[in-house]
Amino acid sequence: MRYNWNWGILFQDPYFEWLITGIEWTLIVSSLAWILAFSLGSLVGVMRTLPQRLPRAIGAAYVELFRNVPLLVQMFIWFYVMPELVPDDLGRWIKRDMPYPEATSAILCLGTYTASRVAEQVRAGIESIPRGQRMAGLAMGLRTWQVYRYLLIPVGYRIIVPPMTSEFLTIFKNSSLALTIGVGEVLMQARQIENYTFQGFEAFTAATIIYVAVTLVVVAVMARVEVKTRIPGYGVRKGR
Amino acid sequence: MIDFDFNAIIRNLPYLWQGMQLSLLLTGLAAAGSIVLGTILALMRLSGVRLFQWIGTAWVNFFRSLPLLLVIFWFYFLVPMVVQRQVDAFNSALIGFVLFEAAYYCEIMRSGILSISRGQAWAGYALGLRYSQTMRYVVLPQAFRNMLPILLTQTIILFQDTSLVFVVGLADFMTSAVTVAQRDSRLLELYTFTALVYFAMCYGASAYVKQLQKKIHR
């Protein structure tokens, strides 16, 4: 294997700055998308557990729709097709004036896609609460929304902290797909460094280390959150 | 809505079908390879031999913390360099998929093996079977059967993931659709069609898996 090693290239101008910019974009896109995924996913997840049939059906349709189309296809649809489908004025605004069109599309795409996965976790969390608790709440005279507000959501969300961690890591990893529509996140920068310098080994190693490092940090932080939010004496300990 | 040109799709169906064949071939080979490798990794993790356990755990944790796109890029770049000649993008993508997805299949097979009661393995040993025979004839067939729905679900995810070979220009279904869409400037038609096809296939497959699950757990 012939290869000219040059690890120093990663710390030279402008390549070091490219990597930093990449980290910034990755973190911005994943965290904003996570906010969207968490709120929309909570809404859809709760809808799937409501007693009425219509919201349940809407929630189920949402999940099936977003789960069964590859994320890359969804990315292209948000970026290329959406501006054509919305009303003309809005479409024109998206094409001409919307700030950071690539990043915005990527955030919407990752957010709505991950919302379908979050929804499934929220549903599983709420459904794992024994039915007696919901009934007890209703028997005490609480309304449905009060049962959710004071009972099901506080308990359910504490149960699903571990799977939510892995959903966040999923959105973080999936944010790399944003490079296909031109967002300059970590992987895009690594590839650009490879194209400019032919030091692919170093560039991809840098990207690998960045992804592993962020994953380790998130896992370490969430391990603490898990301990804090664990409901004493509730459920079994996680196997992994 | 603006004029939706069905002809743009119909005209290109043969080309898109070729892409779909490549997608399916890649999915099949990658699934087969990564289920085998994943099972080996699962056996390593459960072997009780410290070195093997460490390798298995490290493999799973490492690949699960990386985006698949990065793995695809790595092998697209690395494989030709290691073997010192030009390699088809298909082969390098296939290697990347097998190594990456094995980490996910490993966890499925591991919980499958753990779901078989220990008495089964003991009974195997009591009959005089060796470790390899106990696994081969007693534990793995049952584990495989129990986990079949989850293995299939993971394979559906793998099928969706194969669309990512777009980034190395391998002409799968997704890449073919993008090529046609850009050549004919028919983005709306082609991307909508692509989404519909993927949706129909994945939704159909997961409906089948649900039925299978009911049958197995009856």
Side-chain angles (χ1 to χ4, degrees):
Chain A
M1 201 167 100
R2 287 192 315 274
Y3 189 77
N4 298 318
W5 299 96
N6 183 5
W7 290 98
I9 195 98
L10 295 175
F11 300 99
Q12 283 169 17
D13 273 346
Y15 308 118
F16 187 70
E17 269 161 51
W18 287 2
L19 283 175
I20 299 294
T21 319
I23 297 174
E24 281 168 12
W25 273 117
T26 294
L27 293 179
I28 290 171
V29 168
S30 3
S31 17
L32 290 181
W34 176 248
I35 294 171
L36 176 60
F38 186 79
S39 13
L40 188 59
S42 300
L43 183 73
V44 176
V46 165
M47 275 167 78
R48 292 202 71 179
T49 62
L50 286 174
Q52 293 87 355
R53 198 172 283 174
L54 182 67
R56 290 175 85 108
I58 297 175
Y62 182 93
V63 171
E64 292 297 338
L65 179 67
F66 281 88
R67 203 169 48 176
N68 284 313
V69 176
L71 185 56
L72 183 60
V73 180
Q74 296 188 29
M75 195 66 88
F76 277 45
I77 289 192
W78 277 103
F79 190 60
Y80 295 109
V81 178
M82 248 338 150
E84 310 289 335
L85 290 182
V86 294
D88 280 352
D89 287 341
L90 184 59
R92 211 167 298 135
W93 178 79
I94 292 177
K95 279 185 211 159
R96 284 194 203 149
D97 301 328
M98 192 169 76
Y100 304 112
E102 299 89 3
T104 313
S105 303
I107 290 165
L108 287 173
C109 170
L110 287 166
T112 48
Y113 169 78
T114 312
S116 71
R117 304 173 54 114
V118 169
E120 285 298 275
Q121 304 294 357
V122 170
R123 178 175 74 112
I126 291 177
E127 281 178 354
S128 75
I129 302 169
R131 276 170 57 206
Q133 299 220 10
R134 183 197 285 260
M135 293 172 183
L138 292 171
M140 284 177 72
L142 299 184
R143 292 164 187 283
T144 303
W145 72 266
Q146 288 173 317
V147 172
Y148 276 91
R149 163 75 184 77
Y150 296 108
L151 213 161
L152 298 178
I153 288 180
V155 178
Y157 273 72
R158 284 173 72 173
I159 297 174
I160 58 168
V161 172
M164 282 302 205
T165 309
S166 53
E167 289 310 333
F168 176 76
L169 290 173
T170 307
I171 219 172
F172 167 66
K173 287 181 284 175
N174 278 339
S175 70
S176 60
L177 264 73
L179 74 86
T180 57
I181 57 172
V183 178
E185 47 67 70
V186 172
L187 198 46
M188 166 88 125
Q189 307 288 356
R191 246 183 115 206
Q192 208 176 342
I193 295 176
E194 192 223 336
N195 282 338
Y196 274 64
T197 64
F198 300 106
Q199 302 291 341
F201 218 100
E202 291 84 346
F204 290 135
T205 304
T208 306
I209 292 173
I210 291 168
Y211 279 107
V212 172
V214 174
T215 303
L216 289 178
V217 170
V218 172
V219 168
V221 170
M222 289 311 287
R224 295 198 151 192
V225 176
E226 266 171 50
V227 174
K228 290 237 166 176
T229 56
R230 185 173 293 150
I231 304 173
Y234 201 97
V236 280
R237 291 221 300 149
K238 207 165 58 117
R240 254 169 219 163
Chain B
M1 210 168 65
I2 345 105
D3 53 324
F4 193 96
D5 183 9
F6 283 101
N7 266 324
I9 297 166
I10 296 165
R11 209 170 43 233
N12 291 304
L13 274 182
Y15 182 66
L16 294 173
W17 169 235
Q18 279 190 350
M20 181 52 85
Q21 284 174 315
L22 192 136
S23 291
L24 292 173
L25 180 68
L26 183 58
T27 308
L29 292 177
S34 46
I35 287 175
V36 171
L37 182 57
T39 309
I40 295 172
L41 287 171
L43 290 174
M44 284 171 88
R45 287 197 73 170
L46 297 170
S47 63
V49 182
R50 206 163 281 154
L51 176 69
F52 287 170
Q53 277 180 336
W54 187 85
I55 295 175
T57 313
W59 187 298
V60 169
N61 288 339
F62 178 67
F63 275 103
R64 291 210 308 187
S65 68
L66 295 183
L68 177 54
L69 267 191
L70 175 60
V71 177
I72 294 175
F73 281 139
W74 255 125
F75 284 93
Y76 186 66
F77 160 81
L78 203 60
V79 173
M81 215 166 70
V82 172
V83 300
Q84 287 293 313
R85 60 187 165 81
Q86 286 292 316
V87 177
D88 193 0
F90 185 85
N91 290 321
S92 70
L94 180 59
I95 295 173
F97 271 106
V98 168
L99 301 186
F100 178 85
E101 297 284 339
Y104 291 83
Y105 282 111
C106 165
E107 289 304 277
I108 299 172
M109 284 314 291
R110 191 167 71 103
S111 57
I113 294 169
L114 286 174
S115 75
I116 307 300
S117 80
R118 309 202 86 184
Q120 296 274 337
W122 289 335
Y125 294 136
L127 281 166
L129 300 182
R130 274 178 280 132
Y131 171 80
S132 57
Q133 292 170 319
T134 311
M135 282 298 162
R136 162 85 181 73
Y137 297 109
V138 181
V139 176
L140 285 181
Q142 298 184 70
F144 208 78
R145 184 170 185 276
N146 283 352
M147 287 296 125
L148 191 58
I150 306 180
L151 289 171
L152 287 175
T153 305
Q154 184 63 34
T155 307
I156 298 173
I157 297 173
L158 171 60
F159 173 61
Q160 295 190 9
D161 283 347
T162 57
S163 63
L164 295 184
V165 297
F166 166 73
V167 295
V168 292
L170 186 57
D172 76 321
F173 182 58
M174 177 71 190
T175 314
S176 314
V178 174
T179 311
V180 172
Q182 285 174 351
R183 190 196 58 201
D184 297 359
S185 351
R186 286 286 167 200
L187 303 185
L188 171 70
E189 289 83 351
L190 263 304
Y191 293 158
T192 315
F193 177 70
T194 312
L196 282 177
V197 170
Y198 272 117
F199 178 81
M201 293 179 71
C202 297
Y203 184 76
S206 57
Y208 169 75
V209 171
K210 251 179 217 160
Q211 277 207 326
L212 191 74
Q213 204 156 21
K214 269 186 202 150
K215 218 166 159 188
I216 288 178
H217 291 296
R218 196 160 47 196

